[in-house]
Amino acid sequence: SGIRFIQKNSSGLREIESGNDALILSANALGILSKQMFGSAEKIVLVEGKKDCLFLEHTAKVMKQSSEITKDFSGAKVELLPVGGCPGVKDWINLKKHSELGLITYVFLDSDRGSTSAPDTDNEIFINSLSSDSTVKEAFCTKKREVENYINQNLTGCTYGDFDDVKSIVPPVTNVAKNKLIDQFWVQMTSENINNAIKDIVKKIIN
């Protein structure tokens, strides 16, 4: 049981790693978490993808710069772990992969909510279910549809609501690909322009 990483050695024979070594090797093979050091980490945050890492990391960076927090994620020994969309996060939790690391675990997902009056989304139902999971310290999802909905509209020159599909609205106007909106625009956000609900999530994880 647990995480296994299979690779070929210089002789062409298969080698199988397990445990923390397998996790680190897998992360490196996927091109993620190049700075990941599970040996020193005290907490992990399971997220859907790299854009979520950048979203949270930049938020913590500008909050530290404005003295709203004293440490960023690195300083607080928190590692952000993108595990392949919401299905990947669910797999990690359901298969208890996070428990093998022995680290305090948080979860952060997009809500994927389409309107205020819509029934709870699958992501929201999943996040709510984690309140009774003793292996997860706390689980969060965005109040708005996705992390892209938090981008200040002055930066994109577009108008959108909390539950609009920003990834369909902004690219045709800005010529920025939908998977690059966080890279292009969120990194320009100052602390004063970041939603307080997102700041509160960062504070809860770091403190």
Side-chain angles (χ1 to χ4, degrees), residues 2 7 16 25 32 47 75 85 87 104 111-113 117 135 151 166 168 199 206:
Q7 62 183 344
I16 301 176
L25 286 169
I32 57 176
V47 299
I104 298 170
S111 71
D112 291 344
R113 172 167 284 278
S117 59
T135 68
I151 298 172
V166 174
S168 293
K199 290 183 180 181
I206 287 179

Side-chain angles (χ1 to χ4, degrees), residues 65-79:
Q65 290 172 345
S66 62
S67 300
E68 294 174 75
I69 53 178
T70 58
K71 298 177 182 178
D72 57 15
F73 286 114
S74 177
K77 296 185 178 180
V78 178
E79 298 292 351

Side-chain angles (χ1 to χ4, degrees), residues 30-99:
L30 292 170
I32 57 176
L33 300 176
S34 60
K35 294 185 290 186
Q36 178 69 301
M37 295 176 65
F38 289 109
S40 63
E42 296 177 356
K43 305 175 183 180
I44 56 170
V45 185
L46 302 181
V47 299
E48 298 178 62
K50 292 182 182 179
K51 68 167 186 174
D52 303 293
C53 294
L54 182 56
F55 179 81
L56 293 173
E57 285 170 347
H58 179 74
T59 300
K61 174 184 175 181
V62 295
M63 287 177 68
K64 182 183 177 185
Q65 290 172 345
S66 62
S67 300
E68 294 174 75
I69 53 178
T70 58
K71 298 177 182 178
D72 57 15
F73 286 114
S74 177
K77 296 185 178 180
V78 178
E79 298 292 351
L80 307 179
L81 185 59
V83 290
C86 186
V89 174
K90 289 180 178 178
D91 283 345
W92 267 71
I93 297 299
N94 293 334
L95 298 174
K96 302 299 182 185
K97 294 180 180 180
H98 62 295
S99 297

